[in-house]
Each structure stands twice: as C-alpha cells, then as structure tokens.
Amino acid sequence: MIVSWSWLAPLISILYLGLLFAVAYYADWRAARDRSLIRSPFVYALSIAVYCTSWTYYGSVGRAAVSGIGFLPIFLGPTLIAALWWLILGKIIAISKRNHITSIADFISSRYGKSPVLGGMVTLFVVIGIMPYIALQLKAIAVSLEVLIRHMDAGWTTNVPFVPWRDTALYVAMLLALFAILFGTRHLDASERHEGLVAAIAFESIVKLGAFLALGLFVTFGLFDGFGDLFGQALANPELARLMTFEAIPGGYSSWLAMTFLAMMAVMFLPRQFQVLVVENVNEGHLRQASWLFPLYLFAFNLFVFPIALAGRLLFADGSVDPDTFVLVLPILGRQEWLAPLVYLGGLSAATSMVIVEAIAMSIMVGNDLVLPFFLQFRKALREDLSGIILTIRRGIIVVLMLLGYLYFRLLGESHTLVGIGMVSFAAVAQFAPAILLGIFWTGASRRGALAGVLTGFLIWTHTLLLASFAKSGWIAVGFLTEGPWGIGWLKPEALFGLTGFDPITHSVFWSILCNTGVMVAISLFDRQTAVEQIQAQNFVNVFQKGARGGNEYLWSGFVSVRELRHLLARFIGPLAAEEDFAEYHRQRHLQPSDDAQAPANLVAFAEKRLTGAIGSASARVMISSVVKGEELDLQGVMRILDETSQVIEYSQRLEIKSRQLEAATLQLREANEQLRELDRMKDEFISTVSHELRTPLTSIRAFSEILRDNEDMDLVERRNFTDIIVKEAERLSRLVNQILDLAKIDAGRMEWHEVEVDLPLLAREAIDATRQLFDNKAVRLINKVPEISCRRMADRDKIMQVIINLLSNAVKFCSPGTGEVCIEWRETGEGVGLAVVDNGPGIPEGELEKVFDKFHQVNQGGMEWPLGSGLGLTISQRIIERHQGRIWVESTAGEGSAFIFTLPHPEPSS
Amino acid sequence: MSLSKSRKERLVVLTILGVLALDYPLLALFSRAELFLGIPVLLFYLFGFWLAFILLMAAILKRKGVEKP
C-alpha cells in the first residue's frame, strides 16, 4: 500500500469527529426551528445505548476469550431491570422534571433536604469512581489507533515495528472536550437538554452497532463457515470447550450474580446514563418503548461477541495477540481494508460517545455541587450576571476532567485490563442505589441516613477495590493486600473480616452494599427529619399524587419583593429569560405583575425551581434564602400547615362526594316527579275520554227510551226500529266497558295469559269464519291469501284471535259497501311470522300513522257522524302483540287503503 | 405516566422470572460443553431466554388504548 496509515488513520478519525459535529449542529439547527430530530422513542433508545462503550466494543470480546460467557451479566442486568424501568425510572423522570433536577448528585441532594454536603459528596465520589472509566476510553482510542496503524502498514505479520502514537489520546481528548463544550455548555438552561448531543450519541450508537455486526458476520461467515463450523472447531479444543461452560468464569455463580446486580444499577445511575435517561428525556412516554428497544439493542450487540472471541482464540492459538484487540486485528488478518477502518471507527464512536456524555454530565455535577457552593459563598452579595461565569466554570471543568482522564491513563494505563476498570466504576455508582431507590419509595429515609450510608459504602469501595488496585499496580506496598493494612489481618481488602471465597468485585459489592443499606436504614429509623427533608420526602415519594404538589410553597415564609426575586433569577439565567419567566408566571395565574409587591410564597417556590435547573437544588436554596428576609418555618409550623391543608383537602373531598350524591338524588327525584305528572295527566285525559265515549251511547239510549216512553201511540215498525237502536247502543256500551276493563287489566299487569301452542294459519282461518257474517252484511269481499301450512308458536290463543278479529272488523268498517275488498295475507320475515290485513278503504293520512294505536284515537273520517270504532281495539291489539314480544304496525297511503301487520318472533333456538 | 396495576404486576413477575432463569441453579443445567443445533447449549439457552424476555416485555408494555391510572 502506498498511502501510509500513520497519517490516514488519524485523518479518518478527525473526519469522523467532524461528521459528529455536523450531526450535532444539524440537530441543534433543527431544534431551533422547532423541527426536532430526537422526538422519537427510537432515538431515545439509541441514546441510552451510550451504555455500550469501548469497554463493550473491545473489552467484551477480550473477556469472553478468557472467561467464556462471563461478559454477559453486564448486558443481562440492564435487560432485567429494564422490565422495571416504567416503575422506577418513570418515577425518577417525573420527579426530576417537576423539580428541575439535572444530575444524579442533585437528585440525591434534593431528596434529602437539598443538602449541599450530600450533593458535594456524591459528586466527589462520582469523580473518583468514573475517572478511571474515562481514562479507559482514552486508552481504548489510543491503543486501537496504534494497532490499526501498525498492522495496516506492515501487512499482517506477527512481527511489526513499534510506533509510539500515545499522544493521539491527548488530541482526541481535547477534541472531545471541544465537542462537549460546544454542544453541552452553550447556554444555561433550566432543563439542561441538549438536542445536538443526543442526536450525535444516537448516530454513534448506530455506527458502533453496525460496525460490530459487520465484523461479526465477516468473522463467522468469512473466516469460518458459519456458526456450526466455528463452534465445532472450538469444541474440539478442550481449552475452548471449557469456555462454553460456567467453569471458565472466575468467581462462578456468585460473581455472575454480583455483576448482574452492578449492571442493573449502573445502567440507571452512571452519570451518563442518568443524563440520557432522565435529563435528556423529551417525553415520559418514550420510556415505554425504550424499555424493550434498548435491551434489543444490547441483544444484537452481543450476538457475535462469543463467536469473535472463539475465532480469535482459534486463529491466534499461540497467544501472541492481546484478546482485547481481537476485534481490530481479525479484519486486518482477513485483509479487509475497508472493514478494518470501519471497525476502528465503531470503536472510536463507542469511546467518544461515552466520554462526551460523561464529561457533560460531570461538568454539571461538579459545577453545581462542588464549585458553585464555594463560589457563591464569596460572591453572594455581588449583583452581577453570573450565567456567563457559571458556563465558563463548566467549560473549565470539562477541560480539566479530560486532562485528568488523560493523566490517569498515562499513569495507570498499563496495569489493568479493560473489563477490570469498568467493573470498579460500576461498583462505585452502585453505592448511590440505596439512597435513590429507598428515597423514592420510603418517606422515612433521612438525610443523615443517606449521608452515612453513601459514605460507608464508598469507604468500603475505596478500601476493597481502589486501594487494592493501587497495591496491585505497585503504588502501595503489596503487604497492604497480603497482610492487611498495618498488618491487621481482618482488614485485608480482598478478605474483609476474613470473608473469602468471592472474587474481589463480588466481595466488595457484598460488603459495601450491605453496610451502605444497613447503615442508612438503621440511622433513618432513629432519625428526626427536618421540615425541608419531610417536605422533599413527600414530594419525591408521592410525586404522582395530586395533593402532594405544592409542598414547596410552605418552605418560605419570609418577605421578599418581586423585583428582588427577579433580579436574583436574572443573575443566573440572564435578565431576558428571568423577565419572560416572571411574565409567564403572572399570565398563567391571571395576576397583575407588580415589582414592589411582596412575592407570594408560590412565586418564591417557582423562582427556586428555575434556579435549581441552572445551579442545582442546594445552591438554589442558599441563593433564595440570601434574599428572603425573615425566618424559615420551623418543623412544627410546617407540619401544622401541612396537617391543616390535608384536613381541608379531606373535608373538601368529602363535601364534593356528598354534593355529588345529592345532585344525583335530586336528578332521580326530578325524573320520578316528571313521570308521576305525566301519569297523572294521562289518567285525567283517560277519564275524560272514557266518560265522553260512554256518554255517547248512553245519550242515544236515553233519548230513544224517552221517545218510546212519551209516545205510546207510536207504530210498531218505528217502535221496533228504536228498540233495535237501543239494543245496539247497549251492546256497544258493554263492549266498550269490556274493552276498558281489558285494557286496564293489561296495563296493571293483572291480565291472565294462557300460553299454548297455536297454529297461526289455522287461527287466521277460524277468525275469517267468525267474521264472515260481518263482511256479508256490508257486502265487502274477503280474500284469504293465507297458505295451507302449519306454523306453530307459543301464544295465548284467545288473545291472538281477538287481535285478528279486531283487525278484520276494523278493516270492514272502513270499506265502502260493494266495492270494498279486504285481503288477509301471510307474512314471514327475519323478524318473525305473522299476518297482514290489507283493505282498499280511504287509508290513513301520514301524520296519523303513529297515533292510530293511541287510546281512543279516532281517525278523522271527514264528515262521518258516528265514530266507527271504540278507539280501543287497536290499543288492546298492540298491548297483546307486545306482550308476545311481537310487533304491530300500519302501512298506508291516504286514498289507497291501509295494511295492518303484526308479527310474532321466531322461537329462541333453546326453547 | 401511569400503568394499570395488573401490568405492573406482570412486569414485576417477569423480572423475578428473569432473575431466577438467569442464575444458579437453573443456569447450571445448561453448563455443558455440548452443541445444540450447532450452538453451545449454554449460549443457546441464554440468548433464547434473552430474546423471549424482550418480546414478553414488549408485549406487556404495548399500548392498548387509553389507560386508567
């Protein structure tokens, strides 16, 4: 090859970083135009994959090559805990958003009474615990670059000239610092969200996964003939066959369990994980999909780790190649001039994403919880704009952190394998787990308990892991490890109190987490919390309860003017932003802003939250208390207010329930009343109609009887005529009374029903026979179209007969003599079977169709003197049919006759 | 930000199941230097369970209409 990789490799690294800058810049540009790139659960899940560092990329293969599947707990742990993310992280995210929390140190400090000491301590421990991890990434970048250059330039031989390229790490570190400064500290924002950063991280997650999968496919199917061939060859070698079982894992099952636990905690509480999971979270709902998308990413990433490790062991059987570099060396061995640089870039992306996010997260923590509290002690009184200074401090911190990481790598670089350092960092952040998890589910966890717990855990971590590793690298006399400090045997760092049988990590995790949790719980149980602690505990634990909010407002009872408060906010977030915030506050509450007025308690709380976003809860509290005159509430005062408030809330809730019940009762009463009134009206109407109907025949009977009585000389024919009328009217009267009684019985539910099997067509024929005389009398033709079939239904025979006769006699009444024609037809529909009685009478006007079944309704016959029916027949028919679950209706066109139809339903399949 | 109680219970049970399945003594059953379908049995079990776990989690967390808290 003509071109030299000694400049080509650094060049593609710089170009790649340039691309990263471009991605981040583009995302920020989009965000500024309100067209965010990152509002998706997929981007969120990809950003969480910042968990996969160069430690995963190179180190997993290295570990798999010597201890088989021992690398897996680091990814199985996060998968298992992800199932609980919705319960744990969901709560943490909600708390953080409501309280403007921007780092893990701030979270712990805020939960435990906004304690500056706790925040500072957590930050300090994070720096000590994570620094080696950052150094590790820089080392990975330097080593991978060196390996790439050496082997690509020399072609593949085992004997290559050594080119020292160590200082690449320094340049890379400075470039990453620049990136972090540009995209992580551009402005002081209350939410501390960085869209460009998240987009770049998500992009890097795609690059590293893609490169690793490409390598895995190449190794498995390019260097070998698929999984079967690779695993088959490995199985033939007893040493590699051992890697396929648990025997190869140092520490065995206890170590497996400890690493799973550490990974569960680390994936949530490493500063960079907290940053992407909680602080950079755009939408709380994204967590739902990320909970399974992120484990899926881990699954894909790990598919080829073990095959690559076995391939490395098989191809470099002589042990000449460090397993941590298998990932990079294998494509070079395969002479893949495109794959090798791609794999290198994948490793670079894994390392850079981790370093950038970690640096930004730590700059916020160190700035807010370590530097600012001291800084503000001296500058509290000064009335100057501090936002610029705070950003400068953060930028400085990033540069210092990078330099420290670089120094650490140069000093301690050669003494550890990659996985070793990573686990030490995991064990460090696991010390925050008890304080956080107990803190969000148990209001009793107290500040002193958390302080003592974290401190205890961290001291044990320092003793059993950090100092022990110093001893191993020769910084401390080896006697510390073998004899115990000052020769005290039971203090030996890897066998504390004589506990042996665990590997160092398991041993340390067991003691540190046990003592951490134990001390914290014990002290909390016997501690008395201050007012601020109690309020914060309520705010955190009951974050999802409606009444729990607003407790902050009771924290301040002193006096401060609105102007003073705004000036304070302006010093940290800039005058413009402060002005806008205050205007927004007043607008939401429909208040008139007034500078000289005394600030209400919830405005003070509002300002404190805004400040928390910018400088952390502890400093925000200090700053607010510097302007609020008057005393803070004491514990009794706060509790009294809280008690009163909760009582008031309870009373008002009870009142609300009572009034809702009353309302419901009133509504029911009103409905019942309405019904009664309607019934009353109907009764009145019924009585007046009935009496009217009864009076008509009575009147004529009386009139004719009187005529008969008064005219004794009336001739016989006339006398007979009158008597006939009297008899007819009397019949009509008794029919009417019978019908009224029937109807009353049906309506009152006292009618007796005798259900038997009834053959409907047969019944129709019988009804026709019974009414034949009526038709002959009026010379109306009756046409029977009912087929000679048998169709049985359960029904009351007499009542159905009554209906048919009713319809037939009704039809005959409205037909003209001579030309009249009534037709009875058979109907069979999906609804049921029944009969139709069709006449060619005058028909019923459209407006009356609905009313013909009403009581005493008489169709307007236009000029007819005597009403033809009682007005009850159809009503009774309707009741009867409805009692049989059937339907009766009328179809008619005025002038062309009408059809009365009824159907009885088909029998239920079961009966 | 709420999940019905039964879904919460399912997630907790799933986690317990995962911790049990991915630890001693169940894991010891698969700690053998043998191949199953050309893949080491331990690897096959771990990755198989892993994928099943993810799919179950996705099924439980799937959005089903509007939820009551």
Side-chain angles (χ1 to χ4, degrees):
Chain A
M1 190 165 238
I2 305 151
V3 287
S4 166
W5 281 90
S6 54
W7 61 265
L8 198 55
L11 181 68
I12 58 169
S13 314
I14 304 291
L15 285 179
Y16 174 76
L17 287 177
L19 180 63
L20 212 56
F21 276 79
V23 170
Y25 182 78
Y26 177 64
D28 267 347
W29 182 82
R30 288 277 298 244
R33 272 146 200 80
D34 226 13
R35 300 210 314 268
S36 173
L37 276 179
I38 67 164
R39 289 180 188 280
S40 137
F42 292 95
V43 176
Y44 183 53
L46 282 173
S47 73
I48 302 170
V50 70
Y51 182 72
C52 297
T53 63
S54 67
W55 186 43
T56 306
Y57 199 85
Y58 297 115
S60 288
V61 170
R63 193 175 170 93
V66 290
S67 65
I69 56 154
F71 70 96
L72 267 185
I74 295 162
F75 307 99
L76 289 176
T79 304
L80 292 175
I81 199 71
L84 296 182
W85 271 5
W86 193 262
L87 311 183
I88 299 173
L89 271 177
K91 196 165 186 180
I92 293 180
I93 291 174
I95 292 168
S96 299
K97 294 213 159 158
R98 274 164 213 182
N99 293 282
H100 291 263
I101 286 168
T102 53
S103 74
I104 195 148
D106 207 21
F107 189 89
I108 297 176
S109 146
S110 179
R111 161 63 179 83
Y112 296 102
K114 310 192 178 181
S115 154
V117 180
L118 197 49
M121 194 171 83
V122 169
T123 306
L124 194 66
F125 292 170
V126 165
V127 174
I128 297 172
I130 299 298
M131 202 43 82
Y133 205 179
I134 293 182
L136 175 78
Q137 307 301 321
L138 297 178
K139 177 183 172 183
I141 294 172
V143 169
S144 62
L145 189 61
E146 186 188 308
V147 169
L148 186 74
I149 293 169
R150 271 165 67 196
H151 290 312
M152 290 300 273
D153 272 353
W156 180 258
T157 67
T158 42
N159 203 2
V160 284
F162 178 75
V163 185
W165 251 100
R166 284 290 167 74
D167 279 343
T168 350
L170 181 62
Y171 311 138
V172 170
M174 288 302 105
L175 265 178
L176 296 184
L178 181 67
F179 185 95
I181 287 169
L182 275 182
F183 295 101
T185 63
R186 190 174 301 160
H187 44 77
L188 205 56
D189 178 53
S191 66
E192 285 299 346
R193 284 188 37 232
H194 312 96
E195 298 229 341
L197 171 75
V198 173
I201 297 311
F203 171 74
E204 296 215 278
S205 290
I206 297 172
V207 172
K208 65 192 178 197
L209 178 64
F212 200 81
L213 287 179
L215 171 70
L217 289 171
F218 165 69
V219 168
T220 313
F221 299 99
L223 294 178
F224 290 85
D225 282 338
F227 289 111
D229 177 36
L230 177 57
F231 288 128
Q233 286 192 35
L235 196 66
N237 180 335
E239 213 182 310
L240 296 188
R242 205 175 137 266
L243 291 180
M244 297 176 191
T245 68
F246 252 87
E247 292 160 41
I249 299 175
Y253 294 106
S254 63
S255 155
W256 176 275
L257 186 62
M259 280 173 58
T260 309
F261 169 76
L262 283 184
M264 280 175 160
M265 298 303 121
V267 76
M268 297 189 290
F269 303 142
L270 277 169
R272 67 170 189 281
Q273 294 304 125
F274 192 86
Q275 181 77 28
V276 293
L277 273 169
V278 178
V279 182
E280 306 285 355
N281 173 282
V282 190
N283 177 342
E284 295 176 30
H286 286 173
L287 191 61
R288 187 194 281 262
Q289 274 144 302
S291 294
W292 62 271
L293 283 172
F294 170 62
L296 199 63
Y297 182 95
L298 295 182
F299 177 85
F301 213 113
N302 281 281
L303 271 179
F304 288 108
V305 170
F306 196 56
I308 293 173
L310 287 181
R313 286 289 300 264
L314 283 168
L315 295 172
F316 307 109
D318 57 350
S320 62
V321 175
D322 177 5
D324 281 347
T325 62
F326 276 175
V327 168
L328 202 49
V329 170
L330 280 172
I332 302 175
L333 174 74
R335 302 206 170 276
Q336 298 294 310
E337 276 161 10
W338 286 103
L339 186 59
L342 177 69
V343 168
Y344 161 74
L345 282 184
L348 184 67
S349 70
T352 52
S353 58
M354 180 277 185
V355 174
I356 291 167
V357 183
E358 206 85 83
I360 291 172
M362 282 169 73
S363 79
I364 297 172
M365 283 165 86
V366 175
N368 286 357
D369 290 287
L370 274 183
V371 180
L372 263 186
F374 289 105
F375 182 78
L376 292 177
Q377 282 296 312
F378 305 111
R379 310 292 281 270
K380 209 188 283 187
L382 291 182
R383 300 251 153 187
E384 57 189 314
D385 184 353
L386 291 178
S387 57
I389 296 175
I390 293 170
L391 284 177
T392 312
I393 290 175
R394 286 199 189 159
R395 289 169 189 149
I397 292 167
I398 289 178
V399 174
V400 171
L401 282 176
M402 289 296 184
L403 285 174
L404 273 178
Y406 173 73
L407 276 178
Y408 198 104
F409 146 63
R410 292 304 299 265
L411 288 173
L412 204 65
E414 292 306 317
S415 60
H416 279 72
T417 60
L418 296 181
V419 168
I421 294 183
M423 282 327 279
V424 172
S425 288
F426 275 27
V429 293
Q431 303 309 323
F432 306 135
I436 295 174
L437 294 179
L438 284 174
I440 60 171
F441 291 111
W442 180 37
T443 48
S446 78
R447 181 180 63 88
R448 275 183 285 255
L451 207 61
V454 173
L455 188 65
T456 309
F458 212 78
L459 287 178
I460 294 175
W461 173 84
T462 309
H463 182 65
T464 53
L465 282 179
L466 194 66
L467 293 182
S469 79
F470 287 170
K472 281 178 191 164
S473 348
W475 289 12
I476 311 177
V478 182
F480 178 79
L481 211 57
T482 52
E483 313 292 329
W486 309 288
I488 306 170
W490 54 271
L491 278 182
K492 273 193 279 186
E494 294 190 346
L496 207 58
F497 305 115
L499 182 76
T500 53
F502 288 139
D503 69 309
I505 296 279
T506 313
H507 171 266
S508 172
V509 168
F510 171 74
W511 279 122
S512 60
I513 295 294
L514 179 77
C515 297
N516 183 336
T517 315
V519 166
M520 179 175 170
V521 170
I523 293 186
S524 295
L525 286 176
F526 293 97
D527 202 8
R528 272 174 60 122
Q529 291 176 317
T530 64
V532 191
E533 269 183 85
Q534 292 201 356
I535 287 173
Q536 286 301 89
Q538 291 293 340
N539 272 344
F540 274 51
V541 175
N542 301 325
V543 66
F544 291 125
Q545 285 174 20
K546 274 182 196 157
R549 270 177 246 165
N552 269 333
E553 290 158 21
Y554 302 114
L555 280 174
W556 303 106
S557 64
F559 308 99
V560 61
S561 73
V562 174
R563 181 190 290 115
E564 255 179 305
L565 207 55
R566 204 187 56 231
H567 280 321
L568 176 70
L569 198 56
R571 283 171 64 197
F572 292 95
I573 67 171
L576 227 69
E579 196 84 50
E580 265 173 39
D581 278 351
F582 269 53
E584 179 66 26
Y585 170 89
H586 284 103
R587 203 166 35 246
Q588 274 179 4
R589 285 163 185 74
H590 308 288
L591 296 173
Q592 269 311 316
S594 153
D595 262 3
D596 294 315
Q598 189 193 320
N602 56 12
L603 179 59
V604 182
F606 171 81
E608 189 188 352
K609 277 192 181 168
R610 295 288 294 136
L611 266 185
T612 301
I615 61 175
S617 57
S619 301
R621 182 163 177 72
V622 172
M623 289 322 294
I624 294 282
S625 66
S626 74
V627 296
V628 175
K629 295 162 207 76
E631 296 207 346
E632 274 179 44
L633 278 180
D634 59 346
L635 180 57
Q636 272 82 25
V638 174
M639 291 327 288
R640 205 181 57 239
I641 294 174
L642 280 182
D643 270 357
E644 280 168 9
T645 321
S646 58
Q647 265 180 8
V648 168
I649 289 172
E650 203 190 316
Y651 284 145
S652 78
Q653 276 173 348
R654 271 196 234 156
L655 264 177
E656 209 174 299
I657 292 169
K658 274 265 145 55
S659 75
R660 235 177 291 141
Q661 288 172 338
L662 273 176
E663 244 170 64
T666 317
L667 199 71
Q668 280 175 340
L669 273 177
R670 193 177 303 147
E671 276 169 12
N673 195 24
E674 202 67 32
Q675 244 171 346
L676 278 175
R677 234 186 280 173
E678 174 71 14
L679 283 175
D680 193 46
R681 193 183 59 76
M682 276 162 66
K683 188 201 74 189
D684 285 350
E685 203 174 297
F686 184 72
I687 287 176
S688 78
T689 326
V690 164
S691 22
H692 174 77
E693 293 295 324
L694 291 178
R695 209 173 48 210
T696 323
L698 261 181
T699 314
S700 58
I701 291 175
R702 190 174 154 208
F704 286 110
S705 307
E706 278 172 1
I707 294 172
L708 285 178
R709 185 191 67 197
D710 296 345
N711 302 309
E712 286 180 1
D713 52 345
M714 195 179 268
D715 71 57
L716 205 62
V717 183
E718 209 161 352
R719 197 176 277 265
R720 157 102 22 104
N721 239 346
F722 282 12
T723 335
D724 277 354
I725 289 175
I726 290 173
V727 170
K728 234 185 222 161
E729 287 298 305
E731 273 173 359
R732 188 171 142 198
L733 191 61
S734 73
R735 201 167 59 235
L736 194 60
V737 170
N738 279 338
Q739 282 181 336
I740 289 171
L741 285 176
D742 271 2
L743 195 63
K745 261 191 192 168
I746 294 178
D747 279 352
R750 276 188 288 116
M751 180 63 98
E752 282 177 22
W753 302 87
H754 306 282
E755 294 223 332
V756 289
E757 255 196 4
V758 175
D759 189 354
L760 267 180
L762 184 70
L763 204 63
R765 285 191 289 278
E766 283 176 22
I768 290 167
D769 289 342
T771 48
R772 178 86 55 195
Q773 193 60 39
L774 257 166
F775 283 87
D776 293 346
N777 283 354
K778 209 178 171 185
V780 172
R781 225 158 67 99
L782 174 60
I783 307 162
N784 180 7
K785 286 191 183 166
V786 181
E788 298 270 339
I789 53 168
S790 166
C791 181
R792 295 175 183 280
R793 287 286 181 278
M794 288 303 288
D796 187 311
R797 193 180 178 286
D798 293 346
K799 302 285 190 313
I800 298 292
M801 175 73 116
Q802 191 183 343
V803 172
I804 305 173
I805 292 178
N806 251 334
L807 294 184
L808 285 173
S809 49
N810 219 30
V812 87
K813 269 180 226 155
F814 292 102
C815 280
S816 330
T819 56
E821 215 176 72
V822 174
C823 181
I824 179 160
E825 294 168 6
W826 181 246
R827 288 287 165 100
E828 192 156 356
T829 62
E831 206 176 332
V833 295
L835 297 164
V837 176
V838 187
D839 62 58
N840 64 348
I844 302 164
E846 200 169 333
E848 310 239 6
L849 277 179
E850 308 239 312
K851 295 187 208 151
V852 292
F853 293 102
D854 286 354
K855 286 174 192 163
F856 300 112
H857 180 80
Q858 303 283 2
V859 176
N860 190 6
Q861 294 298 320
M864 218 170 273
E865 216 167 315
W866 296 93
L868 288 169
S870 66
L872 282 177
L874 282 176
T875 312
I876 291 174
S877 301
Q878 190 190 31
R879 297 288 150 89
I880 290 171
I881 295 301
E882 276 171 2
R883 172 65 177 58
H884 287 84
Q885 275 87 43
R887 193 160 79 86
I888 182 163
W889 71 98
V890 58
E891 291 165 3
S892 174
T893 319
E896 289 174 22
S898 48
F900 284 84
I901 306 140
F902 77 88
T903 57
L904 295 180
H906 295 297
E908 301 268 319
S910 59
S911 59
Chain B
M1 207 61 203
S2 59
L3 210 59
S4 67
K5 192 161 159 272
S6 68
R7 266 203 240 193
K8 280 182 188 165
E9 283 165 358
R10 274 176 242 166
L11 287 174
V12 171
V13 170
L14 182 68
T15 313
I16 294 170
L17 178 82
V19 171
L20 288 178
L22 295 179
D23 267 299
Y24 186 81
L26 283 181
L27 268 190
L29 297 178
F30 301 91
S31 177
R32 288 179 308 214
E34 288 166 23
L35 297 189
F36 176 72
L37 302 177
I39 306 218
V41 275
L42 187 58
L43 212 62
F44 192 91
Y45 169 71
L46 283 171
F47 278 87
F49 182 84
W50 195 350
L51 192 62
F53 187 89
I54 293 170
L55 294 180
L56 276 174
M57 190 158 42
I60 295 174
L61 284 168
K62 215 176 103 188
R63 193 178 291 276
K64 290 181 210 140
V66 183
E67 260 189 38
K68 285 176 186 166

